[in-house]
């Protein structure tokens, strides 16, 4: 098959759209991995305040809560492909303003607005994949999407390391990467994401979605909390148990690698068994991993493999949860369900860190592990009850 044939043949239309959607994940992952340390360190230099750095990160999480419920309505007003392109261009433009206006309040506003655009990109691209893939490989392809996102995050971190000390170059590179993400959307022609009808964009519809598919929606909340804790609080945990800086870096690397390696096999298993039961086993393993990590202490030969497995299985909460939504909803309703899922993710990412922080202040390093185990343990109970009583699908 010639390259030209792939770009023109209607038989490959779905594949072209799938590639475009996955490219959105890679682009956002790269900029996310580049911008998190970049913005945090610049803010710390500007203010000398760790609190300001944390609050700025909260602004990004808040943007998810504000904009996610509105995305289905935006999709009904504007063609999803056009909305994706506008969001990527908008995020690029705002990213270039960060070095131009090194003012704390301006950075809060810019971080919030960039987060809004990125939330639009996530909701549309994930809904797009759920709508166009065949049911028998839905979890696997969402696993590819998740792998692209996690891999992009790692690439962004490497770019940050390479450009550290290169002035404002990293900001302009981030903007360029956003703009590059528009190319697959513009030139890989295929079916668009289907927008929901007007009735499905209302707040009651979002609440109804959560009630119909609690196992899937709560997977988003559990993942938002655990992912944020593993990336933001784990370095503090490592320091508190006496690990050196190099070992703390290896902990973060183990977490990142787990998220990359596990998503495809978990998606493959979920497609061939039961997606809801896969979510249940993910949560069970993650709960035990939190406890085992505590008993491993500062023995990195034990701790690093445990963190690798824990982050790897936890990553499945996101992609298998999304695939379960695709199983329960069809057409435009998937966009509404996906917006509800992303909103739940935002709640988890916003509430998780302060909860773990309070727990660590109260009982020391074990506080983080207790919160991690509590989140996934509670999810085990919810899914188990849904399985035993009523035989719900999600």
């Amino acid at each position: 098959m010639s390259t030209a044939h792939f770009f023109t043949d209607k038989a490959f239309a779905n594949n072209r759209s799938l590639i475009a959607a996955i490219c959105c994940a890679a682009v956002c992952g790269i900029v996310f991995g580049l911008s998190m340390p970049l913005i945090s360190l610049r803010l710390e230099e500007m203010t000398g305040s760790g609190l300001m750095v944390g609050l700025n990160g909260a602004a990004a999480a808040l943007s998810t809560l504000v904009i996610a419920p509105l995305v289905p309505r935006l999709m009904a007003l504007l063609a999803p492909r056009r909305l994706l392109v506008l969001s990527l261009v908008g995020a690029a433009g705002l990213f270039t303003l960060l070095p131009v206006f090194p003012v704390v309040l301006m950075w809060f506003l810019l971080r919030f607005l960039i987060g809004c655009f990125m939330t639009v990109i996530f909701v549309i691209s994930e809904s797009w994949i759920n709508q166009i893939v065949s049911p028998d490989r839905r979890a696997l392809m969402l696993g590819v999407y998740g792998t692209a996102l996690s891999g992009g995050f790692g690439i962004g971190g490497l770019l940050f390391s390479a450009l550290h000390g290169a002035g404002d170059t990293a900001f302009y590179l981030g903007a360029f990467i956003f703009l590059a993400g528009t190319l697959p959307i513009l030139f890989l022609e295929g079916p668009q994401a289907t927008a929901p009808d007007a009735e499905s964009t209302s707040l009651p519809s979002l609440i109804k979605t959560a009630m119909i598919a609690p196992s899937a929606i709560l997977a988003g909340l559990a993942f938002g909390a655990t992912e944020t804790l593993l990336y933001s609080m784990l370095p503090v945990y490592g320091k508190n148990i006496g690990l050196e800086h190099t070992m703390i870096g290896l902990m973060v690397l183990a977490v990142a690698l787990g998220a990359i390696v596990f998503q495809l096999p978990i998606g493959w298993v979920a497609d061939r068994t039961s997606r809801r039961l896969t979510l249940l086993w993910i949560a069970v393993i993650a709960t035990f991993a939190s406890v085992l990590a505590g008993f491993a202490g500062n023995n990195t030969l034990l701790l690093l493999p445990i963190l690798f497995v824990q982050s790897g299985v936890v990553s499945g909460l996101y992609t298998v949860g999304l695939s379960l939504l695709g199983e329960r909803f069809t057409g435009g309703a998937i966009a509404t369900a996906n917006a509800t899922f992303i909103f739940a993710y935002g709640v988890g990412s916003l509430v998780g860190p302060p909860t773990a922080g309070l727990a660590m202040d109260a009982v020391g390093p074990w506080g983080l592990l207790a919160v991690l185990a509590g989140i996934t343990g509670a999810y085990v109970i919810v899914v188990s009850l849904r399985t035993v009583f009523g035989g719900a699908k999600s």
Side-chain angles (χ1 to χ4, degrees):
M1 180 189 71
S2 67
T3 303
H5 192 58
F6 174 81
F7 281 94
T8 57
D9 196 321
K10 290 183 179 180
F12 300 104
N14 276 10
N15 289 340
R16 291 193 294 269
S17 290
L18 191 59
I19 291 171
I22 292 172
C23 285
C24 288
V27 163
C28 286
I30 293 171
V31 179
F32 196 65
L34 173 65
S35 65
M36 279 187 66
L38 177 65
I39 292 175
S40 296
L41 289 178
R42 284 294 184 93
L43 265 176
E44 202 278 332
E45 292 172 3
M46 289 161 55
T47 65
S49 170
L51 176 62
M52 284 297 161
V53 175
L55 289 176
N56 189 262
L62 182 63
S63 68
T64 301
L65 300 181
V66 172
I67 201 67
L70 302 179
V71 178
R73 187 175 295 274
L74 292 174
M75 291 175 66
L77 295 173
L78 195 64
R81 275 186 184 261
R82 183 173 298 178
L83 192 54
L84 277 174
V85 170
L86 289 175
S87 297
L88 287 163
V89 171
L94 292 171
F95 218 71
T96 63
L97 295 180
L98 288 166
V100 176
F101 297 102
V103 180
V104 174
L105 289 179
M106 180 63 76
W107 275 38
F108 272 79
L109 176 61
L110 291 173
R111 188 81 180 271
F112 175 82
L113 293 175
I114 292 169
C116 288
F117 281 126
M118 292 184 74
T119 300
V120 172
I121 296 167
F122 281 127
V123 173
I124 295 177
S125 59
E126 290 163 5
S127 302
W128 202 2
I129 294 173
N130 246 332
Q131 290 169 354
I132 63 176
V133 298
S134 58
D136 62 331
R137 61 179 191 141
R138 178 174 283 126
L140 177 63
M141 295 315 300
L142 284 165
V144 173
Y145 173 90
T147 302
L149 181 61
S150 298
F153 186 89
I155 292 171
L158 291 175
L159 289 174
F160 169 77
S161 299
L163 295 172
H164 187 57
D168 296 331
T169 303
F171 290 105
Y172 300 115
L173 177 61
F176 174 79
I177 292 170
F178 271 132
L179 291 176
T182 65
L183 298 179
I185 300 168
L186 291 171
F187 295 108
L188 293 179
E189 296 183 0
Q192 292 207 81
T194 303
D197 55 41
E199 183 179 343
S200 298
T201 63
S202 64
L203 181 60
S205 293
L206 297 176
I207 297 172
K208 182 180 178 181
T209 297
M211 299 300 292
I212 292 174
S215 298
I217 298 301
L218 289 176
L221 189 148
F223 177 75
T226 52
E227 180 202 42
T228 306
L229 290 179
L230 287 173
Y231 279 107
S232 65
M233 301 299 290
L234 199 60
V236 179
Y237 172 84
K239 182 179 179 181
N240 287 348
I241 63 174
L243 294 182
E244 296 179 355
H245 183 77
T246 302
M247 287 297 108
I248 292 175
L250 288 177
M251 288 171 63
V252 176
L253 177 62
V255 169
L257 289 176
I260 293 172
V261 170
F262 273 73
Q263 297 208 40
L264 290 181
I266 287 177
W268 185 87
V269 170
D271 281 336
R272 282 155 180 76
T273 56
S274 162
R275 295 183 178 112
R276 184 156 53 90
L277 289 179
T278 301
L279 286 171
L280 177 62
W281 281 110
I282 285 171
V284 168
I285 295 169
T287 303
F288 278 105
S290 296
V291 177
L292 291 175
F295 286 114
N298 59 7
N299 184 342
T300 52
L301 290 177
L302 295 176
L303 182 61
L304 295 180
I306 291 171
L307 293 175
F308 174 78
V309 172
Q310 182 181 25
S311 68
V313 296
V314 161
S315 69
L317 287 174
Y318 193 84
T319 50
V320 179
L322 283 174
S323 69
L324 189 56
L325 287 180
E327 184 179 308
R328 293 303 312 276
F329 300 93
T330 58
I334 291 179
T336 302
N338 207 105
T340 309
F341 184 91
I342 295 294
F343 181 86
Y345 169 88
V347 171
S349 63
L350 192 63
V351 173
T355 303
L358 290 172
M360 292 179 76
D361 287 344
V363 299
W366 268 96
L368 172 63
L369 303 177
V371 172
L372 284 169
I375 293 166
T376 51
Y379 185 72
V380 168
I381 294 172
V382 170
V383 179
S384 296
L385 290 175
R386 292 284 293 174
T387 302
V388 173
F389 299 103
K393 292 182 180 180
S394 62

